[in-house]
Amino acid sequence: MDKKVGIVIPSLNQGTYIEAALRSVIANQRHTDIALAVMDAGSKDQTLSIIKKYEAHISYWRSAPDGGQAAAINSGIQALGGCKYLMWLNADDVYEDEYAVKRIVDFADSSGFQVCYGRSHFIDENGKVTGEYPVEAFDRAALGHRCYLSQPSVLFSRSAYEQTGALNERLRMCLDYEYWIRLAQTYTFGMLEEYIGATRMYAQTKTATMQAVHIDEAVRILQQYYGRVPMHWAVTKILAKYPAGFLHRIPKRLLFALLYPWKQRILKDGRMGKNDA
């Protein structure tokens, strides 16, 4: 399947939003050579009927239990064969417009970067723009402090994927952050100053409902790849543990100073094994 770019949509019970995601990719197919794989984990809502509605535009799809989001993305990438570039779009996210994929693909073609990313908006349940993801110019060291790439706005080459290896299927929340760090060990990323993807933020997202898992994974990833964890992660970890406590009323700068002597204890200073990140 030698399309220019392969896009994978992983999904589980996202019947409320997956039609918008599919229509977003299909609109971009009018301007770019796109192969689409939809990897549904056996949804029990209306997802399957929506997938079948747009089946003519989908190169490969399946609906069956899988090993999680990272496993679904890896399987989708393999199903898409020889596409030059790869992206994934969560089932509740969308592209900025019908030219978004073309913009990032053209940028990759003209610049020669193996990993490219653009700017990104936050949207709500109704697709209304509510803010902007804090994207920054590429800095390998800065990735050790924060994730400044917005996942639906990232494109990487198949050769970079093959060189770097598959996404870590043990991760539930930070699979994208860990993958950007791993790619950055080999590649310099190109940043495109245009909007590519939009991330949907609402109360039921994994990010909102699994904050503790998110923080724990991020801490372990940073320990693995950078050998240290910035103090703000320790503060975030303890604030997540005591969400309604008085600590939230203390200015963060003061809280940093108060907690610094116990930083390693707070973080539990456990390193991941070789296969954990």
Side-chain angles (χ1 to χ4, degrees):
M1 196 177 300
D2 295 325
K3 296 282 189 177
K4 189 64 172 285
V5 56
I7 297 175
V8 180
I9 297 180
S11 175
L12 176 61
N13 295 324
Q14 288 290 342
T16 302
Y17 302 112
I18 192 171
E19 185 163 18
L22 287 168
R23 290 173 65 87
S24 176
V25 176
I26 292 166
N28 275 269
Q29 285 178 328
R30 293 197 288 267
H31 309 287
T32 312
D33 190 25
I34 295 172
L36 172 61
V38 181
M39 311 301 288
D40 181 67
S43 294
K44 303 302 182 184
D45 59 6
Q46 66 268 40
T47 294
L48 192 56
S49 63
I50 295 170
I51 292 172
K52 290 180 178 179
K53 177 180 177 181
Y54 295 99
E55 195 168 15
H57 302 277
I58 301 171
S59 301
Y60 175 86
W61 71 271
R62 67 138 199 245
S63 182
D66 57 32
Q69 185 180 6
I73 295 165
N74 287 330
S75 296
I77 287 173
Q78 295 309 311
L80 291 177
C83 298
K84 182 178 180 180
Y85 299 115
L86 299 165
M87 305 178 77
W88 82 83
L89 184 73
N90 291 334
D92 51 358
D93 295 338
V94 294
Y95 288 116
E96 180 75 13
D97 55 45
E98 65 184 272
Y99 295 97
V101 177
K102 177 176 171 55
R103 288 197 295 274
I104 196 77
V105 168
D106 288 350
F107 177 64
D109 278 344
S110 63
S111 67
F113 286 111
Q114 298 298 302
V115 184
C116 301
Y117 64 102
R119 295 199 172 276
S120 184
H121 283 120
F122 289 123
I123 57 174
D124 65 12
E125 297 99 321
N126 301 311
K128 180 181 178 181
V129 173
T130 58
E132 183 172 343
Y133 195 98
V135 175
E136 301 176 12
F138 177 70
D139 183 320
R140 190 172 285 107
L143 271 177
H145 291 269
R146 57 198 169 274
C147 181
Y148 54 79
L149 282 75
S150 176
Q151 173 268 312
S153 295
V154 180
L155 170 147
F156 48 93
S157 69
R158 176 168 284 277
S159 62
Y161 177 82
E162 292 173 349
Q163 172 71 24
T164 304
L167 277 74
N168 186 338
E169 297 182 5
R170 297 188 182 190
L171 297 173
R172 301 170 65 193
M173 296 297 299
C174 293
L175 54 144
D176 51 349
Y177 186 28
E178 188 269 347
Y179 202 62
W180 312 150
I181 292 173
R182 228 179 332 138
L183 284 166
Q185 293 182 319
T186 303
Y187 302 99
T188 297
F189 300 179
M191 179 181 171
L192 176 64
E193 288 282 0
E194 295 192 46
Y195 293 93
I196 303 301
T199 298
R200 199 181 301 272
M201 298 297 290
Y202 54 101
Q204 290 76 39
T205 60
K206 285 200 308 179
T207 302
T209 60
M210 298 177 64
Q211 186 181 22
V213 175
H214 191 158
I215 295 166
D216 285 343
E217 284 188 357
V219 165
R220 288 185 291 136
I221 288 165
L222 293 170
Q223 288 171 332
Q224 176 74 12
Y225 289 106
Y226 291 89
R228 58 170 177 73
V229 180
M231 188 62 202
H232 71 84
W233 282 104
V235 170
T236 301
K237 184 177 176 71
I238 197 167
L239 291 178
K241 186 175 182 180
Y242 304 104
F246 74 95
L247 292 173
H248 288 262
R249 297 193 291 271
I250 301 174
K252 279 198 173 181
R253 189 177 295 274
L254 176 58
L255 197 56
F256 279 24
L258 291 173
L259 294 178
Y260 188 82
W262 294 280
K263 176 182 173 183
Q264 293 306 321
R265 185 175 177 182
I266 292 166
L267 297 173
K268 297 183 180 177
D269 201 24
R271 291 180 180 272
M272 288 186 292
K274 182 177 180 182
N275 295 322
D276 289 337

